[in-house]
Amino acid sequence: MENSKLAPVIDKEEGRARGIVEAIRETLALEASDIRRQSEELADLKRQKLDAVGWREKRELDELIVGRRQQMSMRSFQDSKVLIQPYFGTLELADDELGNLSYCLGRQSFFDHKSRVLVIDWRDAPVSRLYYEYGEGESYEETVRGRDRSGVVSGKRQVEITDLELEKIAGKDFTVVRTPDGWVLDGHKTGGIYRKEKSRDHRLPEITALIDPAQFRAIADGNSSVVVLSGSAGSGKTTVGLHRIAFLNFRDPERFSNPP
């Protein structure tokens, strides 16, 4: 495929990556500012308590300190490590009922400061199933969160983001990588997680992005108590097993928590 024909795809994914990275950085900055503000307010209450003379004033300040600590413990702040690799896959759907939809799949979900989802965790199986089990151009019929969904996978790509910049895009029949001279076609073919080859940029691809449909079903099967994995050496048994553990822990963290 000629690079010129891929220009719209490259432009789209570059714009998407810039938007997601910018939104994540903005949200993390706001959360960091919120943490500083709450810490300063708590420190101020503690200083007021030290300066207080009467027992009634000290008790009131104690109650305020306890309440502020409870508020801080209830607030969930997101991990800045998400910027190392914000997401590894993009999924675009032409849904028969909901219209055009797009998702970014990563190793952890991330929400912006307005609580809008930017990245969904791949272990959120109802949506990620469409990414792993269907190819670009294929029709789907699935039940997602108790709702029947149908449509066409209009786009599905693997991406690599390094130092906050999009470095690689792999689609149905192409792979392009960024070089100092611009985007160029790469001969590296995408495939299942059994592939050990390194790409042009000498970095192994994001393993989770390369899970094939059969491997995903073994990982995300919610009905089986035991999953038996068999295959030749290097076929991905260990990787599938580890991802199965991650999936089960994500879906039921209390059941698989560490023993006391």
Side-chain angles (χ1 to χ4, degrees), residues 4-197:
S4 59
K5 294 181 179 179
L6 295 174
V9 173
I10 294 172
D11 290 342
K12 185 174 188 176
E13 292 301 340
E14 282 190 310
R16 191 201 310 266
R18 282 194 301 268
I20 294 293
V21 168
E22 181 179 349
I24 290 176
R25 295 180 71 176
E26 179 183 359
T27 298
L28 290 173
L30 290 171
E31 290 185 351
S33 176
D34 195 21
I35 292 173
R36 288 194 299 270
R37 178 184 59 78
Q38 292 187 32
S39 298
E40 290 170 358
E41 291 176 353
L42 182 61
D44 184 59
L45 288 172
K46 291 179 178 178
R47 284 193 295 269
Q48 291 181 45
K49 179 184 176 182
L50 290 175
D51 295 336
V53 177
W55 65 268
R56 182 174 288 104
E57 184 180 4
K58 287 182 178 291
R59 186 179 65 181
E60 292 176 349
L61 287 169
D62 269 334
E63 292 175 351
L64 289 174
I65 290 172
V66 170
R68 185 55 52 87
R69 283 174 172 165
Q70 289 177 341
Q71 291 178 357
M72 293 177 67
S73 65
M74 293 172 61
R75 175 71 189 277
S76 177
F77 294 98
Q78 301 177 96
D79 191 349
S80 61
K81 291 181 181 179
V82 68
L83 284 172
I84 297 175
Q85 173 68 302
Y87 59 94
F88 58 75
T90 62
L91 176 68
E92 297 173 349
L93 306 176
D95 194 271
D96 292 337
E97 182 178 352
L98 302 179
N100 294 327
L101 305 169
S102 64
Y103 302 93
C104 294
L105 276 70
R107 287 180 285 181
Q108 64 185 82
S109 295
F110 195 94
F111 299 82
D112 69 7
H113 62 283
K114 296 181 179 179
S115 298
R116 294 176 299 194
V117 63
L118 298 177
V119 180
I120 61 172
D121 194 307
W122 70 272
R123 294 163 293 188
D124 190 7
V127 171
S128 61
R129 182 177 301 278
L130 300 179
Y131 176 85
Y132 287 113
E133 298 216 22
Y134 295 88
E136 184 173 322
E138 292 184 356
S139 299
Y140 63 87
E141 290 185 5
E142 291 284 346
T143 299
V144 180
R145 299 195 185 280
R147 185 175 184 176
D148 292 336
R149 297 270 294 273
S150 63
V152 176
V153 176
S154 53
K156 172 184 170 180
R157 303 179 189 104
Q158 300 167 10
V159 300
E160 290 184 12
I161 298 175
T162 305
D163 296 329
L164 307 182
E165 187 172 45
L166 184 65
E167 296 287 345
K168 182 176 181 179
I169 309 169
K172 183 178 180 180
D173 52 7
F174 72 91
T175 299
V176 290
V177 295
R178 184 191 297 276
T179 72
D181 298 323
W183 289 92
V184 299
L185 285 169
D186 188 11
H188 176 70
K189 302 296 183 181
T190 59
I193 61 175
Y194 58 84
R195 297 190 64 89
K196 304 293 186 181
E197 300 94 333

Side-chain angles (χ1 to χ4, degrees), residues 187-244:
H188 176 70
K189 302 296 183 181
T190 59
I193 61 175
Y194 58 84
R195 297 190 64 89
K196 304 293 186 181
E197 300 94 333
K198 294 185 178 180
S199 59
R200 175 191 294 269
D201 57 7
H202 305 294
R203 289 180 291 114
L204 286 172
E206 167 62 54
I207 293 297
T208 313
L210 302 180
I211 295 171
D212 66 25
Q215 291 161 340
F216 177 76
R217 286 191 290 272
I219 291 168
D221 188 344
N223 298 319
S224 298
S225 58
V226 176
V227 174
V228 178
L229 303 174
S230 63
S232 59
S235 62
K237 298 186 298 297
T238 301
T239 302
V240 170
L242 291 174
H243 280 72
R244 172 76 173 163

